[in-house]
């Protein structure tokens, strides 16, 4: 596994062994107040300008200080400053415009630090009331109390700043008012709640209790305590941020579909009933039965109505224990499939070693860009179906296939082949590459299911490509590259700069590594003796996950 240089500004995903200038530039970004993303003027007011800047100010670990949050960094941490100082402290839960009291936790290489929020002194601009009562405690929706327009404004600003500071792109070309400006406006989500088609909840023996609810003051720093009665400590919900063993009890989740919420409510009503004899898995003692509850929502392809799959992950196979729950949830008309994944390992994964169908079908279906996909309990599928449709349309538009069936498409990091398959209709042939064997097998099934015969999917590790890579397919006209968060390996960058496809569409879920890879492809890698051959034509940020820090980008590069 590659070692990574950690930086909260970039998500800690910069590989060691890649040119140092990127890590140096990153530190400069963190250290220099003027380079920290400024708040978007339309969405927030400028911070007060202090009479005298405390230039030499350096906080101490453990110190409690008053901060003002000025922007959001990658992963949704607030970029905060001590009044009158230029020193940057990153603080989870701080939102732009907020004045807060925080405790200094960590200091990083003397350049910036991290602080833990203690309390709000003055709320942020663009504050709204979060609909979910758990929003402040649950790590899922960090910015639910920030108006949606402000959320996407900050996301757009983050992409811009990373492209300038990290990708070395000229800000004048990025943001010009002309229609050919490289950085396009961020594409928002139409539906900002109930957009997730999959949620995974955990059963636990240690219920997380918010600090405000505690009578005692013990464990104040960590903001939690354990219940004394064992059953009172049982919980079904989401892991409290930073704790692998504490579960925040969740009655409803505003991100999942209405039918999925109905399933959660029915399970919550029943599972702790002593008569059923169900126990949550204890991650310390490694005893107990129920591990996870996964709820997936798809669509009946004929009727267009929602269909729900419920997957119980248990530590052993005891179907009789689950049947009372199964009988209750299958009264919900949308539930068409109940699965039991059995996972005997002590790890926290929801993947089962064995899978059993307890009710109905073994898969549900969903439609994306006119193609039908079968989704089984553990198969990968884009989590926000509606916005994935928007994203894939942008990818198709950026790819700009002629449509005469003459072009070769290479789909790198293809997953279950969804992007390649949507392009296959207009291409001569699509070649997909992916490391996970199950995803490749799903991609082949998806091709067959949709009657697509001009797509070939190959399993392989794109971090380990050798001399022979590229010999098994014709020279591509269009390359789609959709890596996960660490971005592309230097070996792949090098190969792309050698093969010189006329067009690359780079789809990214991490704007920091995206800016780095775009820099390599356009400006070269001096320390590796590589010349850049591409021109960045457009970057379209897309919000796939409202209230979370995630940002997707579709970038078009053309050979110069
Ligand atoms: C962001 S997902 C993209 C999936 C797909 N393009 C889609 O839209 O559904 C990244 C994919 O890259 C795969 N992947 C990660 N590391 C890889 C590697 N070293 N070589 C090949 N594939 C890899 C992951 O398994 C995952 O399916």
């Amino acid at each position: 596994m590659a070692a990574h240089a950690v930086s909260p500004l970039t998500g800690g995903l910069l590989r060691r062994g890649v040119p140092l200038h990127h890590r140096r530039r990153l530190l400069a970004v963190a250290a220099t107040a003027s380079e920290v993303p400024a708040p978007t003027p339309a969405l927030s007011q400028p911070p007060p300008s202090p009479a005298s800047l405390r230039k030499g100010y350096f906080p101490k670990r453990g110190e409690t200080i008053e901060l003002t949050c000025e922007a959001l960094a990658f992963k949704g941490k607030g970029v905060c400053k001590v009044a009158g100082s230029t020193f940057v402290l990153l603080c989870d839960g701080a939102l732009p415009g907020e004045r807060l009291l925080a405790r200094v936790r960590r200091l990083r290489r003397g350049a910036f630090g991290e602080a833990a929020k203690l309390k709000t002194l003055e709320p942020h601009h663009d504050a709204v009331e979060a609909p979910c009562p758990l929003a402040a405690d649950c790590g899922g929706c960090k910015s639910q109390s920030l108006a949606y327009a402000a959320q996407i404004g900050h996301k757009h600003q983050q992409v811009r700043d990373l492209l300038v500071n990290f990708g070395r792109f000229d800000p004048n070309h990025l943001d010009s008012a002309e229609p050919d400006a490289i950085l396009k406006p961020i594409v928002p989500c139409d539906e900002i709640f109930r957009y997730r088609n999959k949620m995974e909840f955990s059963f636990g023996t240690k219920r997380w209790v918010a600090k405000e609810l505690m009578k005692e003051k013990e464990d104040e720093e960590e903001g939690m305590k354990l219940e004394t009665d064992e059953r009172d400590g049982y919980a079904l919900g989401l892991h409290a941020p930073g704790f692998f063993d504490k579960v925040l009890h969740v009655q409803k989740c505003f991100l999942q579909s209405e039918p999925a919420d109905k399933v959660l409510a029915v399970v919550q009503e029943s599972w702790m009933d002593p008569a059923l004899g169900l126990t949550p898995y204890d991650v310390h003692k490694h005893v107990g039965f129920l591990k996870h509850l996964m709820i997936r929502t798809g669509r009946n392809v004929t009727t267009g109505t929602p269909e729900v799959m419920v997957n119980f992950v248990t530590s052993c196979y005891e179907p009789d224990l689950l049947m009372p729950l199964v009988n209750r949830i299958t009264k919900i008309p949308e539930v068409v499939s109940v699965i039991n994944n059995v996972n005997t390992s002590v790890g926290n994964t929801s993947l089962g070693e064995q899978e059993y169908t307890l009710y109905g079908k073994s898969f549900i279906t969903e439609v994306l860009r006119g193609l039908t996909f079968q989704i089984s309990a553990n198969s990968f599928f884009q989590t926000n179906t509606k916005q994935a449709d928007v994203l894939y349309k942008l990818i198709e538009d950026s790819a700009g296939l002629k449509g005469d069936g003459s072009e070769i498409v290479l789909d790198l990091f293809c997953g279950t082949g969804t992007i390649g398959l949507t392009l296959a209709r207009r291409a001569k042939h699509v070649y997909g590459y992916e490391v996970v064997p199950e995803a490749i097998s799903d991609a082949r099934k998806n091709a067959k299911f949709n009657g697509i015969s001009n797509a070939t999917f190959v399993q392989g590790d794109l971090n380990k490509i050798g001399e022979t890579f590229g010999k098994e397919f014709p020279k591509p006209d269009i390359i789609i590259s959709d890596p996960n968060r660490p971005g592309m390996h230097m070996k792949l960058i090098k190969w792309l700069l050698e093969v010189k496809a006329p067009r690359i569409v780079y789809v990214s879920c991490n704007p920091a590594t995206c800016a780095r890879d775009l820099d390599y492809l356009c400006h070269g890698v001096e320390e590796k003796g590589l010349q850049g051959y591409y021109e960045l034509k457009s970057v379209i940020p897309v919000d796939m996950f409202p209230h979370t820090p995630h940002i997707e980008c579709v970038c078009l590069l053309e050979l110069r």
Side-chain angles (χ1 to χ4, degrees):
M1 213 193 219
H4 297 128
V6 176
S7 162
L9 282 182
T10 61
L13 293 166
L14 298 171
R15 274 192 205 92
R16 287 211 184 96
V18 297
L20 270 176
H21 65 262
H22 270 307
R23 280 190 274 146
R24 290 204 192 105
R25 200 171 324 126
L26 175 75
L27 287 176
V29 170
T32 315
S34 62
E35 284 186 276
V36 167
T40 316
L43 301 166
S44 50
Q45 290 121 41
S49 59
S52 62
L53 284 179
R54 289 194 272 160
K55 280 225 167 84
Y57 174 76
F58 194 80
K60 289 183 196 67
R61 196 164 171 267
E63 189 182 351
T64 299
I65 40 173
E66 189 184 315
L67 297 173
T68 304
C69 178
E70 296 194 354
L72 287 178
F74 187 67
K75 284 193 172 176
K77 285 180 194 283
V79 178
C80 301
K81 287 195 212 147
V82 184
S85 148
T86 54
F87 195 90
V88 171
L89 283 158
L90 297 169
C91 184
D92 233 341
L95 292 168
E98 180 177 353
R99 215 160 52 76
L100 62 144
L101 212 56
R103 185 167 299 147
V104 179
R105 274 258 164 100
R106 281 195 279 188
L107 295 164
R108 302 271 194 161
R109 301 182 187 101
F112 61 94
E114 284 181 59
K117 180 173 162 179
L118 297 176
K119 74 169 179 184
T120 300
L121 298 174
E122 203 178 294
H124 50 88
H125 322 304
D126 311 302
V128 290
E129 196 166 327
C132 177
L134 300 176
D137 300 315
C138 165
C141 291
K142 285 189 181 189
S143 40
Q144 221 186 76
S145 64
L146 190 63
Y148 186 57
Q151 288 181 29
I152 55 169
H154 285 288
K155 287 186 180 187
H156 183 92
Q157 185 71 22
Q158 257 184 63
V159 174
R160 182 199 172 277
D161 286 303
L162 285 161
L163 287 170
V164 173
N165 294 318
F166 214 48
R168 297 189 290 172
F169 292 98
D170 180 349
N172 298 321
H173 291 140
L174 281 180
D175 324 299
S176 83
E178 304 301 316
D180 63 351
I182 292 170
L183 182 59
K184 310 293 181 204
I186 186 165
V187 178
C189 257
D190 282 348
E191 285 169 15
I192 63 168
F193 290 103
R194 309 230 173 264
Y195 59 78
R196 282 189 69 97
N197 56 31
K198 176 177 148 187
M199 280 300 292
E200 189 181 312
F201 303 100
S202 296
F203 293 91
T205 53
K206 294 183 177 181
R207 187 181 292 206
W208 187 92
V209 181
K211 195 157 76 177
E212 304 84 71
L213 299 179
M214 277 197 271
K215 292 196 182 69
E216 294 91 342
K217 290 273 182 213
E218 64 194 36
D219 274 340
E220 196 171 327
E221 168 110 22
E222 299 303 333
M224 56 86 196
K225 84 168 185 84
L226 312 186
E227 297 288 332
T228 44
D229 179 299
E230 189 187 49
R231 197 160 275 272
D232 282 352
Y234 286 4
L236 165 60
L238 297 165
H239 282 280
F243 296 98
F244 80 101
D245 56 348
K246 314 281 185 298
V247 175
L248 179 74
H249 197 63
V250 174
Q251 299 286 0
K252 53 155 71 179
C253 173
F254 286 73
L255 296 193
Q256 66 177 355
S257 70
E258 298 270 6
D261 244 3
K262 282 194 238 168
V263 171
L264 178 63
V266 169
V267 176
Q268 289 287 32
E269 267 164 33
S270 334
W271 77 276
M272 278 191 257
D273 179 350
L276 301 190
L278 294 166
T279 50
Y281 187 74
D282 184 322
V283 288
H284 291 285
K285 296 180 189 153
H286 303 299
V287 291
F289 178 58
L290 294 168
K291 286 187 156 184
H292 304 282
L293 170 72
M294 188 196 280
I295 313 176
R296 301 190 85 155
T297 310
R299 201 176 345 176
N300 180 310
V301 184
T302 318
T303 61
T305 50
E307 49 180 39
V308 171
M309 169 187 277
V310 184
N311 176 17
F312 289 100
V313 183
T314 57
S315 60
C316 56
Y317 183 53
E318 294 271 5
D320 292 348
L321 273 179
L322 285 176
M323 279 334 270
L325 283 185
V326 175
N327 291 336
R328 283 173 213 189
I329 56 177
T330 50
K331 293 207 170 69
I332 300 168
E334 290 91 345
V335 175
V336 297
S337 164
V338 182
I339 305 291
N340 180 199
N341 266 253
V342 178
N343 183 306
T344 57
S345 77
V346 293
N348 212 11
T349 172
S350 61
L351 270 181
E353 295 132 15
Q354 254 106 41
E355 185 170 304
Y356 302 90
T357 302
L358 301 182
Y359 170 84
K361 310 192 285 181
S362 60
F363 62 86
I364 51 173
T365 47
E366 187 47 276
V367 181
L368 199 52
R369 305 284 314 136
L371 299 178
T372 302
F373 295 94
Q374 286 192 354
I375 306 166
S376 52
N378 292 310
S379 57
F380 174 82
F381 192 73
Q382 287 278 345
T383 323
N384 181 344
T385 313
K386 205 166 170 205
Q387 197 69 342
D389 219 81
V390 172
L391 179 80
Y392 282 20
K393 170 81 170 70
L394 293 170
I395 297 169
E396 270 176 64
D397 291 348
S398 299
L401 281 162
K402 289 182 208 151
D404 59 1
S406 66
E407 291 156 300
I408 299 290
V409 175
L410 179 62
D411 182 9
L412 298 174
F413 307 92
C414 66
T416 49
T418 39
I419 298 178
L421 292 174
T422 56
L423 297 177
R425 294 172 284 197
R426 294 170 66 77
K428 183 175 181 187
H429 204 97
V430 171
Y431 294 87
Y433 272 81
E434 160 67 44
V435 75
V436 177
E438 292 81 6
I440 287 294
S441 123
D442 279 352
R444 289 177 186 149
K445 272 192 227 154
N446 286 333
K448 207 167 167 193
F449 196 66
N450 287 286
I452 294 170
S453 54
N454 61 337
T456 305
F457 295 101
V458 183
Q459 191 260 328
D461 188 339
L462 291 164
N463 290 345
K464 294 183 182 159
I465 54 172
E467 292 296 306
T468 55
F469 185 70
K471 305 273 186 284
E472 56 281 76
F473 49 82
K475 181 178 165 172
D477 299 291
I478 291 142
I479 297 178
I480 311 291
S481 184
D482 183 10
N484 49 6
R485 293 155 70 89
M488 295 194 290
H489 194 277
M490 186 53 73
K491 282 185 181 168
L492 186 57
I493 299 274
K494 207 170 161 225
W495 182 82
L496 289 171
L497 289 171
E498 275 162 19
V499 81
K500 297 193 181 72
R503 191 174 281 192
I504 298 176
V505 180
Y506 188 2
V507 186
S508 164
C509 55
N510 180 346
T513 52
C514 174
R516 177 200 67 192
D517 292 348
L518 295 176
D519 178 29
Y520 292 159
L521 293 169
C522 296
H523 310 129
V525 193
E526 212 182 307
E527 287 162 71
K528 302 264 171 191
L530 297 176
Q531 204 184 324
Y533 289 107
Y534 283 88
E535 187 178 344
L536 183 59
K537 300 302 272 189
S538 64
V539 175
I540 313 171
V542 183
D543 188 25
M544 302 284 293
F545 303 109
H547 319 299
T548 77
H550 302 291
I551 314 173
E552 199 86 15
C553 287
V554 178
C555 315
L556 173 63
L557 296 142
E558 279 179 6
L559 195 64
R560 267 204 297 269

